[in-house]
């Protein structure tokens, strides 16, 4: 019985998946590091999305099991396919990285060192994300999917060409031990790249290039020695002056060039007088930095309208021009179920309401006095009195009139009192006359 139970337990133990707690810990650490990169750039953190996490885990499991470095997944699926399949309605972008004994910090450092992947980390077009992690073929695999919700389902790309990303792998690299002075020097081995070496030692690519007087275009050969960490008392070389221009190479886009030089896409367009519809050709020289004292080009006039092209969606247009979907709908008096047609013209700014003309004051005649019986009323021209709108005021601004004192009694009050006394005297005399008349009669 013991001989049967032990092999069974061993088989179950070997077939068991990685401990969920350990995997969850790596996922949480990687997600926190990604948001730390965003915080360094003054950006809000990605919000965790469970659906995007399922899509990321699906791809992580597949590429780890098949030792496949690609964004193309099971049955030829693409990142947008997988997001749609798990019920996420919105646009997505995917990063992945894999490597021998790759830690979360090393994986995120690799993404930071790669301009295209770094641009995903600092993108302002997406606001939520999910992560997947798997172990397979002696490597640790990390997949990050970022997204932004849409008002309608997003169609995946129509091309069936596989999306490969062979650079997103960190080959096995043995860490060198520090020298007596604390300096670390690495000897390059076959297949190793500057990005992979920087990620393995958890240093920024810019630092590695600075210490070794290299550029991102520099080629390294097996046997080359790279300074990874300065020794005690060793001063770093002066920071080289960054270039002002860049020569476009095959496969590069405005997006990848801007990410490489840590530029926002809007600044890159501004420096070069371009917009999103312009195409770059290999050999074009573009500006990536202004020289000291150089006058920047005039700020381009913001685009106020957009003509709908085939395949455009309301959310896609809103994202393209940095608008919220609610604003775009409000500017154009549209609803989310509106179907766009090529040639439609949409407003990209709030409509300007005409300034209302001031209205002249209205006048009403003063009410005529009601005539007293037996009294002639003089005919006078009605006085026009402007209608005054009462404006609320605070108690502190309202003057309270003082109560009249006996010494300040006006003439009207004296006349009224005299008339009252005269009437009383006449009434008394009349009463006395009646009394005397009755007495004489009696």
């Amino acid at each position: 019985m013991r001989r049967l139970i032990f092999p069974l337990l061993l088989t179950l133990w070997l077939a068991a998946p990685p401990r969920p707690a350990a995997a969850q810990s790596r996922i949480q650490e990687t997600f926190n590091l990604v948001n730390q990169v965003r915080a360094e750039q003054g950006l809000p953190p990605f919000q965790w999305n469970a659906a995007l996490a399922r899509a990321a885990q699906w791809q992580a499991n597949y590429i780890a099991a098949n030792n496949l470095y690609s964004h193309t997944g099971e049955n030829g699926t693409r990142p947008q396919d997988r997001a749609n399949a798990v019920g996420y309605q919105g646009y997505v972008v995917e990063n992945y990285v894999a490597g021998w004994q790759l830690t979360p910090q090393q994986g995120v450092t690799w993404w930071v060192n790669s301009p295209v992947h770094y641009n995903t980390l600092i993108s302002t077009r997406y606001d939520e994300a999910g992560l997947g992690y798997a172990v397979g073929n002696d490597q640790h695999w990390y997949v990050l999917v970022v997204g932004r919700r849409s008002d309608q389902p997003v169609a995946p790309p129509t091309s069936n060409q596989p999306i490969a990303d062979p650079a997103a792998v960190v080959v096995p690299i043995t860490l060198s031990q520090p020298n007596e002075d604390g300096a670390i020097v690495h000897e390059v081995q076959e297949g190793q790249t500057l990005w992979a070496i920087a990620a393995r030692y958890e240093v920024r690519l810019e630092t590695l290039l600075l210490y070794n007087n290299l550029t991102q275009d520099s080629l390294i050969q097996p046997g080359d020695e790279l300074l990874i960490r300065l020794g005690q008392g060793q001063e770093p070389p002066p920071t080289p002056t960054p270039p002002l221009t860049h020569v476009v190479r095959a496969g590069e886009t405005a997006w990848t060039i801007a990410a490489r030089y840590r530029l926002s896409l809007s600044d890159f367009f501004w420096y070069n007088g371009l917009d999103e519809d312009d195409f770059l050709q290999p050999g074009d020289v573009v500006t990536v930095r202004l020289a000291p004292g150089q006058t920047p080009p005039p700020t381009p006039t913001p685009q106020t309208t957009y003509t709908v092209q085939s395949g455009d969606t309301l959310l896609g247009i809103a994202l393209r021009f940095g608008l919220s979907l609610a604003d775009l709908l409000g500017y154009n008096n549209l609803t989310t179920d509106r179907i766009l047609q090529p040639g439609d013209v949409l407003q990209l700014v709030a409509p300007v309401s005409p300034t209302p003309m001031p209205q002249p004051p209205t006048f009403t005649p003063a009410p005529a006095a009601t005539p007293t019986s037996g009294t002639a009323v003089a005919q006078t021209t009605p006085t026009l009195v402007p209608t005054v709108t009462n404006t609320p005021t605070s108690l502190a601004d309202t003057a309270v009139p003082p109560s009249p004192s006996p010494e300040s009694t006006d003439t009207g009050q004296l006349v009224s009192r005299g008339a009252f006394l005269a009437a009383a005297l006449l009434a008394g005399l009349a009463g006395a006359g009646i009394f005397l008349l009755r007495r004489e009669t009696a």
Side-chain angles (χ1 to χ4, degrees), residues 115-116 216-217 246-258 260-261 279-284 286:
V116 175
Q216 293 189 19
D217 298 323
H246 172 82
V247 179
V248 179
R249 294 176 295 189
E252 289 186 324
T253 65
W255 181 56
T256 60
I257 296 172
R260 172 175 179 174
Y261 291 98
F279 291 95
L280 298 177
Q281 302 294 335
D284 289 348
V286 293

Side-chain angles (χ1 to χ4, degrees), residues 254 264-278:
S264 68
L265 193 58
S266 59
D267 281 349
F268 178 79
F269 288 148
W270 177 33
Y271 290 170
N272 295 279
L274 304 173
D275 58 40
E276 293 188 350
D277 295 326
D278 292 323

